[in-house]
């Protein structure tokens, strides 16, 4: 495909790939390093070095984590590429012959004292071209990602991760003296939302996760009204963290944080935030292709939404997409009409707290997306074009997602040149923001355009896309 392919850099050896894969499987189980250390009786700091590719994993460890993480042999098969010393069956990191309540106690305390430390060890996901030409998403250590591999080609030129996310920075909590704690975190959350809109999720996730830990620390010393306010803002941060992981393509981590947010929301006593999180879980299920859950959870959110909020309309759009996935055009159209009717009946002077971004163009986006799923590609492309024209200027990354989906609709309508041209626009936004949602759609486009490879515009898109991703050696 034109340009020579970039190979994985030396630090993406099988050793590093095994560590990244271990991290990915640990994320799927929702386990911190400390919790996994307790589960398999290994020192978490030693496990962290293995995940970074700094140590060879002994076969005993590979067998244990494969079994405990339900990897069905995947970690063991990858371990065969590492080729460690066959006699290296014990490492200093292994905690042997200690009672369960003693093993790893010091590390657990250290993690509690410095909850930001794990953020430094967490991975980020980048697209990688496999040897057979397919695209997979590979989890890389944060240091490796921000050193310039894959999608970080642009974001690595920006200053490094915020100091609050750096391991060993103490203290984590630093509240502005003229603000109460909850107000401090409210203002910071808005800054983080703005940062996410500009730079994408990968630059924002470490700080958001660190702030959740900081809020939890403060809740231990604040009761009464301050404690309740902190719980509410902690729930907001968890929902936001779920969204960031969703956009970064880590659906398991997204589901983990949305589950935490939903759990905490019941304790706040605020029905609106619970409804919003339920709707978000329906959105995530739809993007995961789980139509039944998307319809079920979103319908529950629609049923409990207060009529003077946008929550019912938000939930109805996700109900519609779930029905589209079920190939039920009548039910999908009915849900979308319901969303539009709910919006039309609201007083525009009172936008509410949740879903201030929700408007008729958002419903149009989901109508277009449903058309695409149902095979009406021409109408889908027109719908995306209309919605993109109405999109506010600040929604840079969302514009990239919608452009990518428009390009797929053009490809479905056999409009190869237009699909490639629109795909290139989306590709530029993907490179700037690191949005896995955009890359996922463009990966599909790359495959669909293959049959038109001789068309110059298509060749340009596919070569550019090929250069964006890393390649398996």
């Amino acid at each position: 495909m034109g340009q020579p392919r970039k190979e994985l850099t030396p630090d993406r050896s099988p050793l590093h790939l095994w560590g990244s894969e271990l991290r990915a499987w640990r994320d799927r189980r929702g386990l911190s390093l400390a919790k996994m250390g307790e589960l398999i009786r290994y020192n978490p700091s030693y496990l962290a070095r293995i995940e970074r590719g700094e140590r060879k994993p002994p076969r005993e460890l590979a067998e244990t984590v494969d079994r405990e993480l339900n990897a069905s042999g995947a970690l063991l098969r990858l371990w065969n590429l590492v080729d460690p010393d066959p006699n290296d069956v014990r490492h200093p990191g292994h905690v042997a012959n200690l009672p369960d309540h003693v093993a790893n106690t010091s590390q657990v305390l250290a993690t509690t004292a410095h909850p930001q430390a794990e953020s430094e060890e967490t991975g980020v996901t980048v697209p990688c071209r496999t040897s057979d030409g397919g695209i997979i998403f590979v989890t890389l250590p944060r240091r490796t990602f921000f050193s310039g591999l894959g999608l970080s080609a642009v974001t690595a030129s920006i200053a490094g991760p915020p100091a609050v996310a750096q391991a060993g920075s103490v203290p984590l909590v630093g509240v502005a003296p003229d603000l109460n704690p909850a107000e401090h975190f409210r203002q910071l959350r808005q800054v983080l939302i703005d940062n996410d809109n500009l730079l994408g999720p990968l630059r924002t996730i470490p700080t958001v996760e660190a702030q959740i830990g900081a809020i939890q620390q403060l809740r231990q010393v604040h009761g009464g009204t301050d404690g309740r306010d902190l719980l509410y803002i902690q729930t907001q941060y968890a929902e936001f963290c779920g969204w960031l992981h969703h956009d970064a393509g880590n659906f398991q981590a997204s589901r983990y944080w949305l589950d935490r947010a939903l759990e905490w929301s019941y304790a706040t006593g605020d029905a609106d935030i619970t409804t919003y999180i339920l709707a978000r879980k329906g959105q995530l299920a739809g993007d995961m292709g789980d139509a039944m859950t998307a319809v079920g959870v979103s319908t529950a959110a629609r049923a409990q939404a207060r009529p003077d909020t946008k929550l019912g309309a938000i939930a109805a759009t996700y109900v519609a997409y779930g029905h589209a996935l079920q190939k039920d055009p009548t039910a999908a159209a009915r849900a979308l009409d319901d969303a539009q009717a709910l919006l039309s009946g609201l007083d525009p002077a009172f936008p509410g707290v949740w879903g201030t971004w929700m408007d008729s163009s958002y419903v149009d986006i989901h109508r277009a997306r449903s058309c695409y799923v149902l095979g009406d590609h021409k109408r889908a492309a027109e719908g995306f074009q209309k919605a993109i024209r109405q999109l506010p200027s600040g929604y840079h990354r969302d514009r990239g997602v919608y452009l990518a989906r428009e390009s797929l609709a053009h490809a479905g309508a056999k409009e190869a040149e237009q699909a490639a041209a629109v795909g290139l626009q989306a590709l530029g936004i993907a490179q700037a923001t690191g949005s896995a949602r955009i890359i996922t759609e463009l990966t599909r486009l790359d495959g669909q355009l293959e049959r038109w490879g001789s068309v110059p515009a298509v060749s340009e898109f596919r070569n550019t896309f090929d250069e964006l991703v890393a390649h398996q050696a």
Side-chain angles (χ1 to χ4, degrees), residues 155-430:
T155 55
S157 64
I158 306 167
V164 71
Q166 297 287 348
S169 58
V170 182
L172 213 170
V173 182
V175 178
D178 57 336
L179 297 175
N180 68 45
E183 184 59 29
H184 166 85
F185 286 106
R186 286 192 192 99
Q187 293 187 15
L188 177 59
R189 178 172 170 268
Q190 186 57 54
V191 171
L192 292 169
I193 290 172
D194 293 341
N195 182 70
D196 169 50
N197 285 333
L198 287 172
L199 301 177
L202 300 177
R203 306 293 296 180
T204 311
I205 286 171
T207 305
V208 172
E209 291 183 345
Q211 296 314 304
I212 293 172
I215 296 168
Q216 289 177 308
Q217 285 183 348
L218 284 173
R219 285 183 55 219
Q220 295 179 19
V221 296
H222 287 274
T225 301
D226 284 347
R228 288 191 296 272
D229 288 347
L230 283 169
L231 175 60
Y232 185 84
I233 197 69
Q234 177 180 311
T235 305
Q236 289 182 307
Y237 268 79
E239 182 279 323
F240 181 37
C241 196
W243 163 248
L244 292 170
H245 281 293
H246 186 162
D247 189 49
N250 191 338
F251 290 158
Q252 297 302 326
S254 177
R255 186 160 54 187
Y256 169 82
W257 282 111
L258 287 178
D259 286 345
R260 300 288 73 69
L262 185 63
E263 174 187 335
W264 295 334
S265 76
Y266 288 116
T268 69
D270 187 302
D272 284 352
I273 192 171
T274 300
T275 301
Y276 183 76
I277 295 165
L278 277 174
R280 284 276 297 107
K281 286 177 69 65
Q283 180 190 24
L284 176 63
D287 283 358
M288 294 176 71
D290 184 352
M292 183 175 67
T293 301
V295 171
V297 175
S298 302
T299 298
R302 168 69 182 91
Q304 70 181 44
R306 288 194 298 116
D308 59 341
T309 70
K310 293 183 175 182
L311 294 171
I314 293 170
T317 60
Y318 304 143
V319 172
Y321 187 63
H323 283 310
L325 290 172
Q326 292 175 331
K327 305 302 179 184
D328 188 342
T330 302
R334 185 167 55 244
L336 289 165
D337 290 343
D338 178 37
Q340 286 285 21
L342 288 169
L343 284 176
S344 299
L346 293 176
D347 185 345
F350 298 96
V353 175
W354 294 101
T356 55
W357 41 264
M358 180 66 186
D359 57 18
S360 60
S361 67
Y362 191 79
V363 180
D364 289 340
I365 283 290
H366 281 76
R367 197 179 298 275
R369 198 177 182 199
S370 295
C371 285
Y372 177 80
V373 170
L374 292 166
D376 191 348
H377 298 132
K378 196 83 173 175
R379 188 179 172 200
E382 292 170 355
F384 283 123
Q385 288 171 340
K386 176 186 175 183
I388 290 168
R389 286 195 297 268
Q390 297 173 349
L391 198 63
S393 58
Y395 288 74
H396 181 58
R397 182 188 49 219
D398 287 340
R399 182 172 181 271
V401 173
Y402 303 154
L403 284 168
R405 290 173 181 166
E406 181 195 337
S407 69
L408 277 170
H410 287 303
K414 297 182 173 56
E415 299 167 346
E417 288 194 36
Q418 194 162 0
V422 175
L424 272 174
Q425 295 180 55
L427 194 57
I429 298 173

Side-chain angles (χ1 to χ4, degrees), residues 425-461:
Q425 295 180 55
L427 194 57
I429 298 173
Q431 189 175 18
T433 64
S435 172
R437 286 190 301 155
I438 304 176
I439 286 293
T440 297
E441 304 289 13
L442 294 180
T443 299
R444 296 169 59 200
L445 178 66
D446 181 56
Q448 292 188 23
L449 290 180
E450 185 175 4
R451 55 181 163 161
W452 293 297
S454 61
V455 176
V458 170
S459 178
E460 181 184 2
F461 168 79

Side-chain angles (χ1 to χ4, degrees), residues 71-100:
S72 302
L75 287 169
L76 267 179
R77 287 191 294 272
L78 187 58
W79 179 87
N80 291 329
L81 299 175
V82 178
D83 191 25
D85 180 351
N87 298 317
D88 189 16
V89 296
R90 288 278 175 173
H91 274 68
H94 188 251
V95 181
N97 302 319
L98 289 177
D100 291 341

